[in-house]
Coordinates of all heavy atoms in Angstrom, one line a residue:
Y1515 N -2.9 6.6 -3.9 CA -2.8 6.6 -2.5 C -3.6 7.7 -1.8 O -4.1 7.5 -0.7 CB -1.3 6.7 -2.1 CG -0.6 5.4 -2.3 CD1 0.0 5.1 -3.5 CD2 -0.6 4.4 -1.3 CE1 0.6 3.8 -3.7 CE2 0.0 3.2 -1.4 CZ 0.6 2.9 -2.7 OH 1.2 1.7 -2.8
E1516 N -3.8 8.8 -2.5 CA -4.6 9.9 -2.0 C -6.1 9.8 -2.4 O -7.0 9.9 -1.6 CB -4.1 11.3 -2.4 CG -2.7 11.6 -1.9 CD -2.1 12.9 -2.5 OE1 -2.8 13.7 -3.0 OE2 -0.8 13.0 -2.4
G1517 N -6.3 9.6 -3.7 CA -7.6 9.6 -4.2 C -8.4 8.3 -3.9 O -9.6 8.3 -3.7
V1518 N -7.7 7.1 -4.0 CA -8.4 5.9 -3.7 C -8.3 5.4 -2.3 O -9.3 5.1 -1.6 CB -7.9 4.7 -4.7 CG1 -8.6 3.4 -4.4 CG2 -8.1 5.1 -6.1
L1519 N -7.1 5.4 -1.7 CA -6.9 5.0 -0.3 C -7.1 6.1 0.7 O -7.2 5.8 1.9 CB -5.5 4.4 -0.2 CG -5.1 3.2 -1.1 CD1 -3.8 2.6 -0.6 CD2 -6.2 2.2 -1.1
D1520 N -7.3 7.3 0.2 CA -7.6 8.5 1.1 C -6.5 8.7 2.2 O -6.8 9.1 3.3 CB -9.0 8.3 1.7 CG -9.5 9.7 2.2 OD1 -9.2 10.7 1.6 OD2 -10.3 9.7 3.2
L1521 N -5.3 8.4 1.9 CA -4.2 8.7 2.8 C -3.8 10.2 2.8 O -3.9 10.9 1.8 CB -2.9 7.9 2.5 CG -3.1 6.4 2.6 CD1 -1.8 5.7 2.3 CD2 -3.6 6.0 4.0
K1522 N -3.4 10.7 3.9 CA -3.1 12.1 4.1 C -1.6 12.3 4.1 O -0.9 11.6 4.8 CB -3.7 12.7 5.4 CG -5.2 12.5 5.5 CD -6.0 13.1 4.4 CE -7.5 12.9 4.6 NZ -8.2 12.8 3.4
E1523 N -1.2 13.3 3.3 CA 0.3 13.6 3.1 C 0.8 14.2 4.4 O 0.1 14.9 5.1 CB 0.5 14.6 2.0 CG 1.9 14.8 1.7 CD 2.2 15.7 0.5 OE1 1.2 16.1 -0.2 OE2 3.3 16.1 0.3
I1524 N 2.0 13.8 4.8 CA 2.7 14.3 6.0 C 4.1 14.9 5.5 O 4.5 14.6 4.4 CB 2.9 13.3 7.1 CG1 3.7 12.1 6.5 CG2 1.6 12.8 7.6 CD1 4.1 11.1 7.6
P1525 N 4.7 15.7 6.3 CA 6.0 16.3 5.9 C 7.0 15.2 5.6 O 7.0 14.2 6.3 CB 6.4 17.1 7.1 CG 5.1 17.5 7.8 CD 4.2 16.3 7.6
R1526 N 7.9 15.5 4.7 CA 8.9 14.6 4.2 C 10.3 15.2 4.3 O 10.4 16.4 3.9 CB 8.6 14.1 2.8 CG 9.6 13.2 2.1 CD 9.2 12.9 0.7 NE 10.2 12.0 0.1 CZ 11.2 12.5 -0.7 NH1 11.4 13.7 -0.9 NH2 12.0 11.6 -1.2
A1527 N 11.2 14.5 4.7 CA 12.6 14.9 4.7 C 13.1 15.3 3.3 O 12.6 14.7 2.3 CB 13.5 13.9 5.4
D1528 N 14.1 16.2 3.2 CA 14.6 16.5 1.9 C 15.7 15.5 1.5 O 16.7 15.4 2.3 CB 15.2 17.9 2.0 CG 15.8 18.4 0.6 OD1 15.7 17.7 -0.3 OD2 16.3 19.5 0.6
F1529 N 15.6 14.8 0.4 CA 16.5 13.9 -0.1 C 17.2 14.3 -1.4 O 17.5 13.5 -2.2 CB 15.9 12.5 -0.2 CG 15.5 11.9 1.1 CD1 14.1 11.9 1.5 CD2 16.4 11.3 1.9 CE1 13.7 11.3 2.7 CE2 16.0 10.7 3.1 CZ 14.7 10.7 3.5
G1530 N 17.2 15.6 -1.6 CA 17.8 16.2 -2.8 C 17.1 15.8 -4.0 O 15.9 16.1 -4.1
D1531 N 17.7 15.1 -4.9 CA 17.1 14.8 -6.2 C 16.1 13.6 -6.2 O 15.5 13.3 -7.1 CB 18.2 14.4 -7.3 CG 19.0 15.6 -7.6 OD1 18.6 16.8 -7.4 OD2 20.1 15.5 -8.2
V1532 N 16.1 13.0 -5.0 CA 15.2 11.8 -4.9 C 13.8 12.3 -4.5 O 13.6 12.8 -3.3 CB 15.7 10.8 -3.9 CG1 14.7 9.6 -3.8 CG2 17.1 10.3 -4.3
G1533 N 12.8 12.3 -5.4 CA 11.5 12.8 -5.1 C 10.7 11.7 -4.4 O 11.0 10.5 -4.3
G1534 N 9.6 12.2 -3.8 CA 8.7 11.2 -3.1 C 7.6 12.0 -2.3 O 7.6 13.2 -2.3
V1535 N 6.8 11.2 -1.6 CA 5.8 11.7 -0.8 C 5.6 10.7 0.4 O 5.8 9.5 0.2 CB 4.5 12.0 -1.6 CG1 3.9 10.7 -2.1 CG2 3.5 12.7 -0.7
W1536 N 5.3 11.3 1.5 CA 5.0 10.4 2.7 C 3.6 10.6 3.1 O 3.0 11.7 3.0 CB 5.9 10.8 3.9 CG 7.4 10.4 3.7 CD1 7.9 9.8 2.6 CD2 8.4 10.7 4.6 NE1 9.3 9.7 2.8 CE2 9.6 10.2 4.1 CE3 8.5 11.4 5.8 CZ2 10.8 10.4 4.7 CZ3 9.7 11.5 6.5 CH2 10.9 11.0 5.9
Y1537 N 2.9 9.5 3.6 CA 1.6 9.5 4.1 C 1.5 8.9 5.5 O 2.2 8.0 5.8 CB 0.7 8.7 3.2 CG 0.6 9.2 1.8 CD1 1.3 8.6 0.7 CD2 -0.2 10.4 1.5 CE1 1.2 9.1 -0.6 CE2 -0.2 10.8 0.2 CZ 0.5 10.2 -0.8 OH 0.4 10.7 -2.1
Q1538 N 0.5 9.4 6.2 CA 0.1 8.7 7.5 C -0.9 7.7 7.3 O -1.9 7.9 6.6 CB -0.4 9.8 8.5 CG -0.4 9.2 9.9 CD 1.0 9.0 10.5 OE1 1.9 9.9 10.4 NE2 1.2 7.8 11.0
A1539 N -0.7 6.5 7.8 CA -1.7 5.4 7.6 C -1.8 4.7 9.0 O -1.2 3.8 9.3 CB -1.2 4.3 6.6
G1540 N -2.7 5.3 9.8 CA -2.8 4.9 11.2 C -1.5 5.2 11.9 O -0.9 6.2 11.7
P1541 N -1.0 4.2 12.7 CA 0.2 4.5 13.5 C 1.5 4.3 12.6 O 2.6 4.6 13.0 CB 0.2 3.4 14.6 CG -0.6 2.3 14.0 CD -1.7 3.0 13.2
C1542 N 1.3 3.9 11.3 CA 2.4 3.6 10.4 C 2.4 4.6 9.3 O 1.4 5.2 9.0 CB 2.3 2.2 9.9 SG 3.8 1.5 9.1
E1543 N 3.5 4.8 8.7 CA 3.6 5.7 7.5 C 3.8 4.9 6.2 O 4.3 3.8 6.3 CB 4.8 6.7 7.7 CG 4.7 7.6 8.8 CD 5.9 8.5 9.1 OE1 6.8 8.5 8.2 OE2 5.9 9.2 10.1
V1544 N 3.4 5.5 5.1 CA 3.7 4.9 3.8 C 4.6 5.9 3.1 O 4.2 7.1 2.9 CB 2.4 4.7 3.0 CG1 2.7 4.2 1.6 CG2 1.5 3.7 3.7
H1545 N 5.7 5.5 2.6 CA 6.7 6.4 1.9 C 6.7 5.9 0.4 O 7.0 4.8 0.1 CB 8.1 6.3 2.5 CG 8.1 6.8 3.9 ND1 9.3 6.8 4.6 CD2 7.2 7.3 4.7 CE1 9.1 7.3 5.8 NE2 7.8 7.5 5.9
L1546 N 6.4 6.8 -0.5 CA 6.5 6.6 -1.9 C 7.8 7.3 -2.4 O 8.0 8.4 -2.0 CB 5.4 7.1 -2.7 CG 4.0 6.6 -2.3 CD1 2.9 7.2 -3.2 CD2 3.9 5.1 -2.3
I1547 N 8.7 6.5 -3.1 CA 9.9 7.1 -3.5 C 10.0 7.0 -5.0 O 9.9 5.9 -5.6 CB 11.1 6.2 -2.9 CG1 11.0 6.2 -1.4 CG2 12.4 6.8 -3.4 CD1 12.0 5.3 -0.7
A1548 N 10.1 8.2 -5.6 CA 10.2 8.3 -7.1 C 11.5 7.7 -7.5 O 12.6 8.2 -7.2 CB 10.0 9.7 -7.6

Side-chain angles (χ1 to χ4, degrees):
Y1515 284 89
E1516 294 172 22
V1518 178
L1519 301 188
D1520 200 29
L1521 295 182
K1522 305 301 179 211
E1523 185 176 354
I1524 59 174
R1526 176 181 179 267
D1528 182 2
F1529 294 101
D1531 291 342
V1532 179
V1535 62
W1536 291 357
Y1537 298 105
Q1538 195 66 51
C1542 195
E1543 297 175 7
V1544 174
H1545 296 181
L1546 303 183
I1547 303 169

